[in-house]
Amino acid sequence: MRFSGTPVCTLRALRSVSVTVPDPVRSRDFYHEAWGLSTVDEDGDTFWLRATGSEHHVLQLRAGAGNALDRISFALGTPGEVDASARALQKLGIPLLREPGPLDDAGGGYGLQLVDPEGRCLELSADTFAVSAQEPAGRRAIPRKLAHVVLNTSDIDRTADFYTQVLGMRISDWSEHQMTFLRCNSDHHVIALNQADFPSINHVAYEMESLDHFMRGLGSLKRSGIVPQWGPGRHGPGDNTFSYFTDPAGLVCEYTSEVAQIDEDRWLCRTWKRTPELSDQWGTAGPPTTTVRAAMAGVPDLGHRDLVTPGIDDYFYGGQ
């Protein structure tokens, strides 16, 4: 890895994820009617859905030939930080998909878009449209925010180097040499990387307000005939509760709660062994179904590599 020195930015939070699916209307109906998100805007077959937090949206659904990751959005503090990040990225020779400027998105804002070493589009933005945080109606199970996105990577070390050395994330924990958990604020992780045969999206997790809301969410889905593909349980790394489902497009979505909070002055990164007891500390989840395992593997996703010339590897690794 040729990068060294100061990261190009200070990420504040994970804002949203955008995915392409073959039938956006069907996926929208699932997330709006069963999952608990609210449709905040739409444009033809593109939909933006919000949780109860202050982000304009946490999920964007777009039409595509198949399931794919379209974009992951992170928050910066100010438009000035966006411009400074662009200058630093350009100095490193890292390609931008979009120069800094107003974003033509339903959530507004000022931002830029870049690609990571495997071609994923990452958006850094500030001054997005403000929305008021909403309290759940009583104890109704509604996600409060996007918790994390897990990405399958063909080179976990190289990809982790990019997210830490360039974007300034910190590694909270490892699960042997199979997974690594990356944070940008006090949440244990907002991105996790999973070593796999090819890049793809593994799953997207939504944080519930409390353990009670988490369990009520499972009950609400059960009443709709939607049962977990893995869970409920409590992970070792992150100490968060989990229950995994597959949406109508075959993408994996997760309810979670009680994610570990990091004290930067006291936290020590550790390597967890991959045992059933540490994958699920409660011992309630059982093994993942074959359906969810296959869905987590996903399909090869080359992202935006074809939009970056010359070859993306030349930018990041001198053609190696």
Side-chain angles (χ1 to χ4, degrees):
M1 190 79 176
R2 73 185 186 187
F3 304 118
S4 62
T6 305
V8 303
C9 61
T10 300
L11 301 179
R12 308 301 178 96
L14 175 65
R15 282 197 195 281
S16 64
V17 62
S18 176
V19 295
T20 64
V21 293
D23 188 343
V25 173
R26 188 172 177 222
S27 293
R28 186 279 311 270
D29 289 347
F30 169 81
Y31 284 103
H32 182 105
E33 296 173 5
W35 197 249
L37 301 180
S38 300
T39 304
V40 66
D41 211 335
E42 60 184 88
D43 181 8
D45 55 4
T46 301
F47 302 95
W48 292 263
L49 296 102
R50 68 164 298 182
T52 63
S54 58
E55 291 293 344
H56 175 271
H57 64 276
V58 297
L59 174 64
Q60 181 183 5
L61 299 166
R62 296 179 58 242
N67 298 336
L69 176 67
D70 178 55
R71 182 174 69 252
I72 303 175
S73 297
F74 298 96
L76 296 185
T78 65
E81 290 182 28
V82 175
D83 290 335
S85 299
R87 291 191 293 270
L89 288 164
Q90 290 164 343
K91 186 175 181 180
L92 289 171
I94 295 175
L96 296 181
L97 286 176
R98 184 188 184 97
E99 298 288 336
L103 297 172
D104 53 353
D105 182 86
Y110 183 91
L112 63 80
Q113 294 175 356
L114 67 146
V115 291
D116 78 359
E118 292 182 309
R120 300 179 188 89
C121 176
L122 308 177
E123 183 175 86
L124 311 181
S125 64
D127 284 2
T128 54
F129 293 155
V131 295
S132 299
Q134 301 172 341
E135 291 296 326
R139 294 186 176 181
R140 185 182 170 198
I142 306 173
R144 62 183 293 264
K145 69 174 184 177
L146 188 63
H148 59 260
V149 181
V150 176
L151 305 170
N152 296 320
T153 174
S154 60
D155 190 334
I156 195 169
D157 295 308
R158 183 176 79 166
T159 306
D161 282 349
F162 174 81
Y163 280 88
T164 55
Q165 295 177 27
V166 177
L167 296 183
M169 289 188 168
R170 284 86 68 197
I171 294 178
S172 297
D173 283 312
W174 285 86
S175 177
E176 295 187 5
H177 196 234
Q178 179 63 40
M179 292 189 72
T180 187
F181 301 85
L182 308 175
R183 68 185 186 274
C184 67
N185 49 33
S186 62
D187 289 343
H188 178 271
H189 59 286
V190 296
I191 295 291
L193 304 173
N194 178 61
Q195 180 65 45
D197 293 333
F198 47 77
S200 62
I201 185 169
N202 184 288
H203 71 268
V204 178
Y206 301 82
E207 183 177 309
M208 308 301 279
E209 186 73 25
S210 67
L211 177 59
D212 185 69
H213 287 88
F214 169 81
M215 293 303 296
R216 288 175 181 273
L218 302 190
S220 177
L221 291 172
K222 183 177 180 180
R223 289 190 292 274
S224 298
I226 302 168
V227 297
Q229 297 285 331
W230 186 28
R234 184 182 287 276
H235 284 314
D239 198 36
N240 52 299
T241 65
F242 69 87
S243 197
Y244 296 88
F245 302 82
T246 49
D247 72 10
L251 291 169
V252 179
C253 47
E254 176 192 3
Y255 274 165
T256 190
S257 66
E258 299 188 342
V259 179
Q261 296 299 294
I262 302 298
D263 182 338
E264 293 288 348
D265 294 329
R266 301 179 63 183
W267 186 262
L268 294 176
C269 175
R270 62 179 287 190
T271 299
W272 294 75
K273 291 189 177 298
R274 295 180 65 80
T275 65
E277 295 78 13
L278 296 180
S279 294
D280 174 21
Q281 299 180 86
W282 285 347
T284 56
T289 66
T290 54
T291 299
V292 82
R293 283 186 181 276
M296 284 180 171
V299 295
D301 185 355
L302 298 179
H304 300 265
R305 292 175 67 96
D306 60 333
L307 299 180
V308 180
T309 55
I312 191 171
D313 290 333
D314 292 336
Y315 281 102
F316 287 111
Y317 305 105
Q320 299 178 1

